[in-house]
Amino acid sequence: MALSTPLSQMSVTLPTGIDGSSRSMIKSINFTETSWGSRLRLDSKSRSLSVNKWSTVCMSLQQASKSKVLVTPLELEDPKETPLNLYRPKEPYTATIVSVERIVGPKAPGETCHIVIDHDGNVPYWEGQSYGVIPPGENPKKPGAPHNVRLYSIASTRYGDSFDGKTASLCVRRAIYYDPETGEEDPSKAGVCSNFLCNAKPGDKVKITGPSGKVMLLPEDDQKATHIMIATGTGVAPYRGYLRRMFMENVPNFKFDGLAWLFLGVANSDSLLYDEEFSSYLKDYPKNFRYDKALSREEKNKKGGKMYVQDKIEEYSDEIFKLLDNGAHIYFCGLKGMMPGIQDTLKRVAEERGESWEQKLTQLRKNKQWHVEVY
């Protein structure tokens, strides 16, 4: 299709509903400079449960390269206080599922889904915060009471995947239990909330609480700062929000010109999350973004063992320590089991440099450079 209108002036209207959905929306997106086009898809390995909601844009603007997307409403930039606990477990907000997409390949161990939730602008949040989700049904440990709240890091910016401030996205791995003796799956012990979310259909209702959390908020007072982001698996969720804000969205008062460095540890290539999105930033912003992956089942570390995220950190340890000395922020998000290995690696590197890791860690915390959220 030939484009007669300059991309810098183009407004595209596209359906954001999903085939088979009982509800749909029409979304207009304005593009500045060139268009995101193919960048608005999730992952090339995605096994979507429905038609890719961005296909209209992707097909018509394949020749587009670097761009930023205009977002609304800009009033979301105004509040000085972090939005916290607007909805609590006793009075949750009832939101609506927009879409559920599998975002890992067939050889990934387990299933991870990207879930878009419509909160209609009533549960605003900032990048790095979490939503609580209350799955339907009765708590087996408390007959007559609802299930406990499960917390999930939000995987989108405050403007959501539709760029209009009305949605939030979650990155959820389906929790399945296998009997160690028989090797058979035991559905009775499967994760209640993760399976509810991964099985959800467009139009389904979901009870949410929050937003919660200040530890992983992205400091924006210095837009030339360095941010070192370390994740295992779905711990990449808050970083997706950071990076979309830095490199995808056109936010007038936030023009990032620092360095964002992402370390992501997963089992294999099919397990990589949002890889196409991150790779596009690497191509378009090579001076501002670095991206290192640790694939434990495909790569070996320098000792011949499996490559974990702490091995990648050790590989770049001198550079990381220098960046921290110059004020860089460092973030850790993922399974809590990641931290002992990372801490041991950092301690060993510090000692090799003639430094006390305990003193360095104390200083990093004092300077608010150290951000940890594990589960």
Side-chain angles (χ1 to χ4, degrees):
M1 179 179 81
L3 297 176
S4 59
T5 304
L7 289 173
S8 61
Q9 303 173 17
M10 178 171 289
S11 175
V12 178
T13 300
L14 64 156
T16 57
I18 303 300
D19 282 6
S21 171
S22 60
R23 62 191 294 277
S24 64
M25 300 180 294
I26 297 296
K27 173 65 187 169
S28 292
I29 297 179
N30 293 311
F31 294 91
T32 58
E33 302 170 13
T34 51
S35 168
W36 261 95
S38 60
R39 306 295 164 74
L40 295 177
R41 291 170 294 176
L42 284 175
D43 192 292
S44 60
K45 298 191 295 293
S46 173
R47 301 299 185 263
S48 175
L49 301 180
S50 52
V51 174
N52 192 315
K53 63 181 179 178
W54 301 114
S55 58
T56 305
V57 173
C58 296
M59 288 187 292
S60 61
L61 299 175
Q62 286 293 334
Q63 67 270 48
S65 58
K66 184 170 66 174
S67 72
K68 290 200 173 184
V69 181
L70 290 174
V71 292
T72 57
L74 292 178
E75 286 78 8
L76 291 175
E77 302 291 324
D78 294 342
K80 302 301 180 185
E81 294 297 323
T82 310
L84 284 172
N85 300 315
L86 303 176
Y87 291 88
R88 298 180 181 275
K90 290 185 178 180
E91 295 182 343
Y93 180 81
T94 301
T96 304
I97 298 292
V98 175
S99 62
V100 177
E101 293 183 89
R102 176 187 170 98
I103 54 171
V104 291
K107 296 181 180 179
E111 180 180 31
T112 300
C113 294
H114 180 80
I115 299 160
V116 179
I117 297 173
D118 180 3
H119 60 80
D120 201 29
N122 294 312
V123 197
Y125 56 89
W126 285 358
E127 296 74 22
Q129 290 192 293
S130 299
Y131 270 172
V133 177
I134 304 175
E138 185 177 286
N139 189 333
K141 296 182 179 179
K142 298 178 181 179
H147 284 288
N148 294 331
V149 174
R150 271 72 165 186
L151 287 177
Y152 293 94
S153 296
I154 298 172
S156 52
T157 73
R158 66 194 70 185
Y159 297 100
D161 283 12
S162 298
F163 308 106
D164 60 3
K166 293 185 178 181
T167 69
S169 300
L170 305 180
C171 182
V172 179
R173 177 166 175 164
R174 186 190 295 273
I176 297 175
Y177 177 82
Y178 292 92
D179 186 287
E181 295 184 0
T182 64
E184 297 293 324
E185 180 183 340
D186 185 348
S188 68
K189 296 182 180 179
V192 173
C193 197
S194 65
N195 281 275
F196 159 67
L197 288 170
C198 290
N199 290 334
K201 300 294 187 293
D204 287 353
K205 300 301 180 181
V206 55
K207 293 181 178 180
I208 59 176
T209 66
S212 63
K214 285 188 174 183
V215 172
M216 295 293 286
L217 291 178
L218 181 66
E220 297 188 355
D221 53 329
D222 180 5
Q223 297 181 19
K224 293 184 179 293
T226 294
H227 302 274
I228 303 168
M229 301 166 281
I230 298 163
T232 56
T234 57
V236 78
Y239 309 143
R240 179 180 184 257
Y242 296 172
L243 295 170
R244 285 172 77 90
R245 186 163 173 82
M246 292 170 177
F247 302 125
M248 184 182 286
E249 297 179 344
N250 181 6
V251 182
N253 64 336
F254 184 65
K255 304 295 183 183
F256 181 70
D257 193 29
L259 173 65
W261 192 352
L262 174 62
F263 291 88
L264 175 58
V266 294
N268 56 24
S269 299
D270 269 22
S271 302
L272 288 168
L273 305 173
Y274 311 112
D275 186 60
E276 183 176 331
E277 207 167 280
F278 300 152
S279 296
S280 72
Y281 304 146
L282 192 63
K283 177 183 177 182
D284 290 339
Y285 300 93
K287 294 181 180 179
N288 300 98
F289 183 54
R290 296 174 66 172
Y291 180 27
D292 284 279
K293 313 164 197 178
L295 309 178
S296 61
R297 300 188 185 181
E298 293 181 3
E299 300 175 324
K300 300 293 185 182
N301 60 27
K302 64 181 182 181
K303 296 179 181 178
K306 291 183 177 181
M307 176 68 80
Y308 293 110
V309 71
Q310 59 262 35
D311 299 309
K312 280 291 180 183
I313 294 171
E314 185 172 15
E315 187 178 328
Y316 295 100
S317 57
D318 282 341
E319 192 171 357
I320 289 173
F321 269 65
K322 289 176 183 176
L323 291 170
L324 291 173
D325 289 342
N326 288 323
H329 291 269
I330 190 165
Y331 308 81
F332 303 89
C333 190
L335 295 174
K336 60 184 178 181
M338 70 186 273
M339 289 309 295
I342 290 173
Q343 290 267 33
D344 289 345
T345 297
L346 293 172
K347 182 178 180 180
R348 183 173 64 255
V349 171
E351 290 173 349
E352 291 173 354
R353 292 165 57 91
E355 300 180 55
S356 165
W357 173 242
E358 288 73 16
Q359 291 180 5
K360 194 172 193 68
L361 179 56
T362 298
Q363 191 62 45
L364 290 171
R365 286 172 170 161
K366 183 179 179 180
N367 295 343
K368 298 182 179 181
Q369 296 172 248
W370 183 264
H371 312 265
V372 179
E373 185 171 87
V374 293
Y375 41 86

